[in-house]
Amino acid sequence: MEGTPLVGDALGSEWTTVLLLGVLAVLAWTNRTAARKWRVLARGLFRMRLGRQLMREEIDLQDRSLLVLLGVSVLVLGLFGWQAGVVFAGWKAGFGRYLAVAGMVALAVAVRFLVLRLCGFLFQADGGIGEYLYTIVLLLVATALAVLPVVVVAAYRPEARAWVLPLGGALAGAFLLFRWTRALWIGVGESVPLRYVLLYLCAAEVMPALLVMRTL
C-alpha cells in the first residue's frame, strides 16, 4: 500500500524503530526529571549572547541531562545523514553504515570541542570560547529536535522522502549558519580581532563541514 514501508524497506527497518523509540523515551525522561532544561534551551536558543548569568546558573557542560541530550542529538543527526545518503547517494543500507555516520558526527563534535579548548589553552584567554561551547551544545540539541520529525516521516512515509529530507537539510543548514553567525558575534563582542574569528571558522568549522560532505 502506498505510504507504508515495504517489506525490506531499509529506512523503516526494525532497528530504526527501536532507535526512534529509545530517543523518544530519553526525551520523555528528560522532560520528567529535568523539565527546566527545556526552558534553558528556549532562553538560549535565539539569543546572540547567552549572558554570564545564564551560563553560570543554568548551563553546565557536565550536567547529566545536557550530556544525554547531546548524545541523543548525535544519534538523530547521524540517522538523518544516513537516510539522506541511502535515498540520494545510493548507499547500501545497514546498521553498520548508520554507526559509521553517527560516529563521524560524534567525532566532528569532539574535535570541535578539543580545538576550542586548545585555543583557550594556547592563548591563555577565554575570548568567548566558553560561551561558544555552550552555544554549540544548545544549537546541536535544537537542530536534532527540529530534524527529528523529518527523520520519523522519512522512515515510515516512502512517498514523502523526496521532499522531506531536503527540508531537513535546509533546517540543519539554517541552524549551522546561525551558529557561525553567533560565533562572529561572540568573538567581536569579546574584542577578538575579526581575522582570528574568521580564521577559526574557516579552519575548524567550514573546512571540516565541507570535508565531511565530500567524504559522505
Side-chain angles (χ1 to χ4, degrees):
M1 183 181 295
E2 184 179 1
T4 60
L6 303 176
V7 176
D9 182 15
L11 269 62
S13 58
E14 292 181 357
W15 67 262
T16 304
T17 301
V18 172
L19 179 64
L20 289 173
L21 288 175
V23 167
L24 293 176
V26 170
L27 294 179
W29 171 82
T30 303
N31 189 62
R32 181 176 179 83
T33 61
R36 184 173 58 87
K37 198 62 63 182
W38 301 122
R39 294 193 295 272
V40 173
L41 290 172
R43 287 175 58 191
L45 182 56
F46 294 110
R47 296 171 60 173
M48 296 304 291
R49 298 297 302 270
L50 294 176
R52 298 187 183 280
Q53 181 178 359
L54 181 63
M55 290 191 297
R56 182 175 62 252
E57 298 179 359
E58 302 288 351
I59 301 176
D60 182 3
L61 289 180
Q62 296 182 352
D63 184 289
R64 181 179 61 178
S65 58
L66 192 60
L67 291 176
V68 168
L69 288 177
L70 183 60
V72 166
S73 301
V74 169
L75 295 177
V76 172
L77 294 176
L79 187 59
F80 171 72
W82 172 78
Q83 290 178 332
V86 171
V87 173
F88 297 116
W91 289 354
K92 291 183 179 180
F95 186 62
R97 178 59 64 91
Y98 162 72
L99 288 179
V101 177
M104 187 174 295
V105 174
L107 180 62
V109 174
V111 168
R112 192 163 290 115
F113 275 47
L114 289 174
V115 168
L116 286 169
R117 292 298 190 189
L118 181 61
C119 288
F121 173 77
L122 291 177
F123 294 106
Q124 295 296 309
D126 183 83
I129 290 176
E131 182 177 351
Y132 187 55
L133 282 172
Y134 297 138
T135 300
I136 289 175
V137 174
L138 292 177
L139 291 182
L140 275 176
V141 174
T143 303
L145 292 176
V147 169
L148 181 58
V150 172
V151 170
V152 174
V153 172
Y156 303 111
R157 304 295 295 184
E159 79 283 1
R161 292 168 184 167
W163 63 267
V164 75
L165 288 172
L167 174 61
L171 288 172
F175 275 104
L176 184 61
L177 291 175
F178 180 55
R179 194 179 82 205
W180 292 347
T181 301
R182 285 178 67 163
L184 285 170
W185 194 278
I186 292 170
V188 173
E190 294 290 329
S191 300
V192 177
L194 183 60
R195 63 182 181 277
Y196 292 155
V197 181
L198 292 175
L199 180 62
Y200 162 77
L201 287 176
C202 290
E205 295 277 353
V206 179
M207 287 182 61
L210 293 177
L211 288 173
V212 168
M213 292 175 62
R214 181 176 178 82
T215 301
L216 292 176

